[in-house]
Amino acid sequence: MATSRVRFLDTYLPILQPNHTAEQAKLFESAEYKNDLVRRMLNGEELDPSAFGARTFINKSGRSTGKTTNTEFVIGKFITEGDGDIWYCRSEDGDIGRSIFTSMQSTLRIMGFTLSRKDRKADFHVCASPYQITHNKTGNVIQFFAINKDINRTKGFFPPSGKLQMVIVEEANEPDESKYITALETTANKYINSGSKFVYNLNPPETKQHWSVQYFDNKVKNGAMLLYTTWEHLAQLGLLSPAMIAEILKMKRDDPLFYRYWYLGEIVKMTGLVFPMFDESKHVVYIKDRNLLHRLVGQIIIAGDAANKNDPTAVEFICVLTNGVMLVLDAFYYDPKIHGQTDDVELGQKICDWFEGVHRKYPNLRYKKHVGTIDNANWNLLQMLQISTAMGFFKWYPATDKMILRDINRLRVLLRNDLLKFNVAADNQVKCIVDEFENFVYDEKTGEIKKNQSDHGIDATKYGTLLYTNTQIFF
């Protein structure tokens, strides 16, 4: 391993240390102690991993603090030098391939290892079905799992060696309830020993009432070690780009409350507008010469939030300009409470008619590369658009990767840097989207985003901008 490539934060060194002294480890392996554990479990007691000698680490750092990369450095060391397998988990299935599975491969390469899906002479063999990375020399395997939604899904988890060195849960606050973490631990307890580690990386929830706050605080009270770093630690090591540091400092100056939440990991009570930086004089444009627009456009993203029954459906025609600005050029906005309910077939036809109408207004844009994404809550509509004559000529992706706070912050950053614009005109419905941005607020009582607001245009903008930031799709 090319250790000179690894810039490791001292905060994470305790994870590398043995859990116990040699004498303490013998206690956990003694027949008397194991018999006592069996007795307690048979009496119905749910045992924490610490009862088996395992050590738990809780990381409550904010964003851009290195918690994922440094945890993966630890994984790289254990998987190549230790004895046993590692479970690397997230909440949802759809997040694994684009997140921890990809980032783990990147980190192993940073550490100087070679990876291949075919060449067994490489340091690691990579398999995408199921998601796992195997160290060819030791045979140790990193397995990637989702743990949310089904309390029974973790029952089938099994480490190939029959032994677990580590269990890591990335964004451990994301599962719907604590029972999914508990279910994971219950299964893992079958395969751990006194040297095993549990690592939970957290992003701060919106409020202190979130289940993860008390759940992980209790773990710390019961002996888990709390880890905390900030973006400044990475900056001091030269691991953040000047542009990234400038963006963080800009948020610290212009949006201090959200800065404390996003980058310091503090739970703060949000109030007022969700997008206070939205300024009509800066973010709303009025295009005068439609014939010249195509010269500035690099690619088109069609993004939609397709509602069921009584909620509006919003679809946006987003132009990615050559200077990096995302321009919501046109929009379809259908509110059944105003216009009457419609079935999926009729709604799909209305969207196709709107799309062809945009091409008639801007004829040169039909020759630009298009890509589409739509909320998969209405799968029938997505299927119809994919096979339609009007909109079936480009690739569609269901909008399954949804994280409210991450997506809100992306829009805030784009607005703050004047990289998101809206073209309001008499012959489009972009004003409906603008109205949502200008009136979207936090609940004064809870500090969370207020429920039952009009946000379908905002959601469509989230999906479109996420597609743009997913370089594997966009480029």
Side-chain angles (χ1 to χ4, degrees):
M1 180 178 70
T3 54
S4 60
R5 300 185 184 186
V6 176
R7 305 295 296 277
F8 193 74
L9 294 178
D10 291 346
T11 303
Y12 295 85
L13 289 176
I15 306 178
L16 297 175
Q17 304 302 318
N19 291 348
H20 312 283
T21 65
E23 288 300 316
Q24 290 172 334
K26 288 180 182 179
L27 169 65
F28 290 102
E29 300 302 325
S30 68
E32 181 180 356
Y33 185 79
K34 290 182 177 179
N35 289 336
D36 183 59
L37 290 180
V38 171
R39 178 188 60 78
R40 291 164 62 187
M41 288 186 287
L42 290 177
N43 287 334
E45 185 177 346
E46 287 191 5
L47 298 181
D48 185 83
S50 61
F52 303 92
R55 189 84 190 274
T56 298
F57 300 86
I58 311 296
N59 191 333
K60 287 192 173 185
S61 306
R63 273 76 168 182
S64 299
T65 56
K67 56 179 179 285
T68 299
T69 301
N70 279 271
T71 300
E72 290 176 350
F73 284 153
V74 174
I75 294 173
K77 182 174 178 62
F78 276 55
I79 207 69
T80 55
E81 300 177 13
D83 179 22
D85 304 311
I86 292 175
W87 288 351
Y88 196 1
C89 306
R90 273 194 70 143
S91 176
E92 307 295 342
D93 279 311
D95 295 337
I96 292 176
R98 294 188 297 268
S99 58
I100 55 176
F101 184 62
T102 299
S103 68
M104 188 70 241
Q105 294 175 64
S106 176
T107 300
L108 290 173
R109 290 190 178 96
I110 291 172
M111 297 177 76
F113 295 115
T114 56
L115 294 84
S116 175
R117 299 197 178 195
K118 296 181 179 180
D119 185 6
R120 291 289 180 172
K121 294 181 180 179
D123 295 315
F124 287 93
H125 176 254
V126 179
C127 176
S129 184
Y131 289 121
Q132 61 182 40
I133 300 174
T134 304
H135 186 229
N136 288 323
K137 184 176 180 180
T138 62
N140 295 333
V141 180
I142 309 170
Q143 297 174 288
F144 299 82
F145 294 124
I147 65 172
N148 201 28
K149 301 300 184 186
D150 184 356
I151 194 69
N152 294 311
R153 73 188 308 174
T154 57
K155 288 183 178 179
F157 295 0
F158 178 79
S161 68
K163 295 175 286 187
L164 275 176
Q165 296 190 69
M166 292 185 71
V167 176
I168 305 99
V169 182
E170 182 69 9
E171 299 193 355
N173 53 291
E174 288 297 328
D176 296 334
E177 300 178 59
S178 61
K179 66 182 181 182
Y180 300 112
I181 300 288
T182 302
L184 173 67
E185 291 182 349
T186 300
T187 303
N189 286 345
K190 303 174 186 176
Y191 311 111
I192 63 175
N193 56 43
S194 60
S196 300
K197 322 274 185 177
F198 285 76
V199 180
Y200 296 101
N201 288 333
L202 308 178
N203 284 329
E206 287 183 90
T207 69
K208 293 182 179 180
Q209 286 69 46
H210 192 273
W211 68 264
S212 65
V213 177
Q214 184 175 357
Y215 182 83
F216 289 107
D217 281 352
N218 286 340
K219 282 188 174 293
V220 173
K221 291 177 182 178
N222 291 327
M225 183 173 184
L226 182 64
L227 305 177
Y228 180 77
T229 57
T230 72
W231 64 271
E232 291 177 310
H233 292 106
L234 295 190
Q236 290 164 2
L237 287 174
L239 297 177
L240 291 181
S241 68
M244 184 67 191
I245 294 172
E247 172 57 37
I248 294 172
L249 292 175
K250 185 176 182 181
M251 182 185 287
K252 182 178 181 180
R253 180 187 68 244
D254 299 340
D255 198 352
L257 193 65
F258 201 80
Y259 164 81
R260 287 171 50 202
Y261 168 76
W262 195 254
Y263 288 112
L264 300 185
E266 298 179 20
I267 300 176
V268 297
K269 186 175 181 180
M270 301 293 188
T271 58
L273 294 169
V274 176
F275 301 107
M277 66 290 298
F278 188 93
D279 184 342
E280 192 167 325
S281 65
K282 292 195 301 182
H283 299 118
V284 173
V285 298
Y286 304 90
I287 295 175
K288 297 179 180 179
D289 193 338
R290 295 181 174 182
N291 293 321
L292 296 178
L293 178 65
H294 71 280
R295 300 179 183 179
L296 306 175
V297 177
Q299 185 165 327
I300 307 296
I301 296 175
I302 307 301
D305 182 53
N308 293 311
K309 297 183 179 180
N310 297 319
D311 291 330
T313 290
V315 186
E316 297 179 345
F317 193 104
I318 303 174
C319 296
V320 181
L321 306 186
T322 53
N323 63 358
V325 171
M326 301 190 73
L327 170 66
V328 180
L329 179 66
D330 210 301
F332 170 89
Y333 199 95
Y334 189 87
D335 188 342
K337 294 178 182 178
I338 298 174
H339 305 292
Q341 289 190 348
T342 181
D343 59 36
D344 288 346
V345 175
E346 185 180 359
L347 183 61
Q349 185 59 58
K350 289 180 182 293
I351 293 172
C352 288
D353 291 343
W354 159 78
F355 177 77
E356 291 181 321
V358 178
H359 277 174
R360 285 193 294 272
K361 287 188 272 187
Y362 306 90
N364 290 318
L365 293 185
R366 70 173 69 248
Y367 305 110
K368 299 291 183 179
K369 181 182 177 182
H370 290 57
V371 65
T373 182
I374 199 164
D375 180 12
N376 67 324
N378 193 330
W379 188 256
N380 291 335
L381 182 59
L382 172 60
Q383 294 289 83
M384 283 186 287
L385 296 180
Q386 284 179 318
I387 64 174
S388 67
T389 302
M391 306 180 76
F393 68 90
F394 52 88
K395 181 71 174 177
W396 285 85
Y397 298 89
T400 56
D401 186 1
K402 305 174 187 178
M403 296 174 62
I404 294 174
L405 295 177
R406 177 203 64 187
D407 297 339
I408 287 292
N409 184 61
R410 182 174 60 256
L411 298 184
R412 289 168 67 111
V413 170
L414 288 170
L415 290 169
R416 191 180 299 112
N417 290 285
D418 296 334
L419 294 174
L420 181 60
K421 308 281 186 176
F422 299 84
N423 172 49
V424 173
D427 60 352
N428 72 30
Q429 294 179 293
V430 176
K431 184 63 167 64
C432 296
I433 314 295
V434 169
D435 288 344
E436 290 187 2
F437 273 87
E438 289 187 315
N439 294 286
F440 205 49
V441 298
Y442 290 105
D443 190 310
E444 293 183 0
K445 294 181 179 180
T446 66
E448 298 178 338
I449 292 174
K450 193 172 183 178
K451 297 179 180 179
N452 300 319
Q453 300 182 81
S454 295
D455 62 354
H456 304 284
I458 291 173
D459 284 345
T461 313
K462 289 179 189 175
Y463 308 147
T465 56
L466 178 63
L467 202 65
Y468 176 52
T469 58
N470 188 332
T471 56
Q472 289 179 321
I473 294 177
F474 190 75
F475 295 102

